[in-house]
Amino acid sequence: MKKILVLNGPNLNMLGLREPEIYGPETLRDVEDLCYETAMGHNMRVECRQTNHEGVLVDWIQEARGIYDGLIINAAAFTHTSVAIHDALRLLDIPIIEVHLSDPKKREEFRHFSYVEPVAARVIAGQGAKGYKLAVEAINELLS
Ligand code: DQA
């Protein structure tokens, strides 16, 4: 059974409470449940983790080597700042899908650049929680 790691970065633990007009009403738990359900429907297994800490994300990305078949990452604000996350992602030879609930390219200029995008097989943005379902489906498609 294929295994997917879903990583969520800073402040995404506050989903539901955090600017719902931008990020939607769903909680992190809702988003994670959607990932589990979608993966199950495709006979894949998902593990979901969230942290507010850049170094922890780097550790988890490194650990994914040789264990997971695909990675879904919403690095949140670190998307726009973290060379360390970019470098860690370059260590992986599995499909990486970058997800954002909002569309950062349509927001403030400081959100327009992504350090994740150059290493991502696909970017899914602006689709709210549904973007995670699309990301699991995209991994399934890339692996089959
Ligand atoms: C986000 C977009 C980022 O710009 C922002 O810093 C986030 C969430 C999104 O999912 O829309 O924290 O990654």
Side-chain angles (χ1 to χ4, degrees):
M1 191 181 268
K2 302 279 188 206
K3 285 183 289 186
I4 303 175
L5 182 62
V6 178
L7 297 182
N8 281 300
N11 300 306
L12 293 172
N13 54 318
M14 301 306 283
L15 283 179
L17 293 175
R18 179 189 180 204
E19 299 178 277
E21 66 288 357
I22 297 177
Y23 299 113
E26 292 86 357
T27 62
L28 180 63
R29 179 72 193 270
D30 295 333
V31 163
E32 292 178 345
D33 283 347
L34 186 58
C35 291
Y36 296 131
E37 273 166 35
T38 311
M40 242 170 10
H42 292 285
N43 205 28
M44 298 190 297
R45 219 188 57 180
V46 149
E47 186 179 327
C48 298
R49 301 182 194 171
Q50 187 278 332
T51 177
N52 291 326
H53 304 281
E54 183 178 11
V56 174
L57 277 176
V58 170
D59 287 342
W60 287 344
I61 293 165
Q62 289 181 5
E63 282 168 24
R65 271 168 68 91
I67 297 178
Y68 293 93
D69 303 291
L71 178 79
I72 294 170
I73 182 163
N74 183 348
F78 294 140
T79 305
H80 318 299
T81 62
S82 180
V83 178
I85 288 173
H86 172 92
D87 286 345
L89 289 169
R90 286 171 70 119
L91 288 162
L92 301 183
D93 53 4
I94 55 175
I96 297 167
I97 310 289
E98 175 180 4
V99 176
H100 300 284
L101 294 137
S102 68
D103 186 351
K105 306 246 192 264
K106 294 193 177 145
R107 299 178 60 195
E108 304 96 319
E109 202 172 339
F110 62 82
R111 297 184 201 273
H112 291 188
F113 182 78
S114 166
Y115 282 99
V116 176
E117 193 174 331
V119 290
R122 298 219 187 132
V123 180
I124 297 169
Q127 312 243 30
K130 192 181 133 211
Y132 286 82
K133 177 181 159 71
L134 297 174
V136 173
E137 288 170 351
I139 298 251
N140 178 53
E141 201 184 300
L142 290 165
L143 293 177
S144 23

